[in-house]
Amino acid sequence: MPAGPFRGSAAITHDWKHFDFTVADGVATVTFNRPDKLNPLTFESYADLRDLLYELPQRGDTRVLVIRGKGTAFCAGGDVNEIIGELIMMKARDLMAFTKMTGDVIRAMRECPIPIISGIQGIAAGAGAVIALASDFRVVTESGRFAFLFTKVGLSGGDMGAAYLLPRAVGAARATELLMLGDTIDAPTAEKYGLVSRLVPDDGLDEGVAALARRLADGPTLAYAQTKALITRELDMPLGASMELDAMTQALLMTTEDHAEFHASFNDKRKPRWTGR
């Protein structure tokens, strides 16, 4: 997706310290890199992920974001000692700052105009499950598992927007079961519930993620961005307002180079060359 024309003084960050980050041929990849502890999140990795999501649309080199975990797990959630051990000693002001920051990560994922894929092997638990939930696509191996564990540590299951997003993904009854009981579900169950976009063999995650990322990166990114925005914004809109927003968005996209390119490619009997403009 091309960078926006408006840039302030702040430079783009090239050195992310709390996860691995690469960009190749339009596909950016975040890899949680603490496999010995099943890739838990820390205060710093939350903050880095939030900041990266705000930067991505301005980089000019990213058309898709992939989120992965190193080793045998996607992400086991917040680190028990490095986060929970610290939180129980914090005052209310600092606790509120932390919980708002974690919510900012999920909000940034949903508002980022770039498609986001989570590639999930092993466990996606707690905050890791919500990050997967907030992604646009979830490619999951047959041994993948989801667990919204918040009540099992004595906290509300509605953490980081889970009580907003999960009922809309799987329905209120399933969401109640998952968020209140906090039980782990396997990949076939998650697929039945509607949490899985692509179910792949355990040895097929790299190929499955790469194929979907390539399709998105080579596609009409402006159309994807507007579709994602409509899906997010219209969750709480009445029908009339949604129809009006759809109409205005579609009329705008009818003026784009990509729409004209489709017409030209159709008549030339060739594949469209999408530019995201």
Side-chain angles (χ1 to χ4, degrees):
M1 184 171 183
F6 308 110
R7 184 73 57 80
S9 301
I12 295 296
T13 305
H14 296 288
D15 183 19
W16 297 95
K17 299 183 184 302
H18 302 290
F19 44 67
D20 295 334
F21 179 73
T22 60
V23 182
D25 200 16
V27 179
T29 303
V30 164
T31 305
F32 301 130
N33 58 6
R34 302 177 68 196
D36 55 315
K37 300 182 75 173
L38 303 182
N39 303 314
L41 294 164
T42 64
F43 295 120
E44 295 80 11
S45 58
Y46 272 120
D48 266 2
L49 186 55
R50 173 202 61 194
D51 295 345
L52 173 64
L53 288 160
Y54 290 144
E55 279 194 12
L56 276 181
Q58 303 305 320
R59 288 182 59 95
D61 60 0
T62 301
R63 299 165 71 90
V64 180
L65 171 64
V66 172
I67 303 177
R68 297 285 302 271
K70 191 173 184 179
T72 60
F74 175 68
C75 174
D79 188 285
V80 172
N81 290 316
E82 292 183 42
I83 287 189
I84 296 177
E86 293 294 321
L87 292 177
I88 60 177
M89 297 185 292
M90 286 184 183
K91 302 297 184 184
R93 182 187 66 179
D94 295 330
L95 291 171
M96 185 64 73
F98 169 71
T99 55
K100 286 187 175 181
M101 177 182 71
T102 62
D104 285 343
V105 172
I106 303 306
R107 183 183 299 109
M109 290 181 68
R110 294 311 311 150
E111 293 184 350
C112 180
I114 294 167
I116 300 173
I117 304 167
S118 281
I120 299 163
Q121 80 281 11
I123 191 69
V130 185
I131 287 172
L133 174 65
S135 301
D136 300 296
F137 301 92
R138 287 161 295 282
V139 180
V140 184
T141 66
E142 292 172 340
S143 62
R145 292 167 290 142
F146 292 83
F148 296 87
L149 294 173
F150 306 108
T151 60
K152 291 198 170 184
V153 301
L155 298 175
S156 165
D159 194 39
M160 298 171 63
Y164 178 90
L165 292 171
L166 193 58
R168 289 162 169 80
V170 304
R174 296 296 193 195
T176 299
E177 178 184 359
L178 293 173
L179 294 181
M180 290 188 70
L181 300 180
D183 292 341
T184 301
I185 59 171
D186 60 19
T189 303
E191 184 180 35
K192 182 177 70 174
Y193 286 6
L195 278 175
V196 175
S197 305
R198 304 278 193 281
L199 187 63
V200 298
D202 286 343
D203 61 357
L205 185 60
D206 291 346
E207 181 180 356
V209 169
L212 180 55
R214 187 76 268 136
R215 177 176 177 180
L216 291 166
D218 291 343
T221 53
L222 185 59
Y224 292 157
Q226 294 306 308
T227 302
K228 178 174 179 176
L230 292 177
I231 290 170
T232 299
R233 298 300 181 195
E234 292 183 19
L235 287 173
D236 295 318
M237 283 186 177
L239 177 60
S242 295
M243 297 295 287
E244 184 72 13
L245 184 57
D246 284 355
M248 290 189 295
T249 301
Q250 206 71 307
L252 177 64
L253 289 175
M254 288 173 181
T255 71
T256 62
E257 294 176 19
D258 273 355
H259 186 55
E261 166 62 12
F262 163 76
H263 185 256
S265 67
F266 179 84
N267 287 321
D268 292 345
K269 296 181 173 57
R270 59 174 174 80
K271 290 183 178 181
R273 293 186 286 266
W274 307 114
T275 61
R277 294 180 170 84

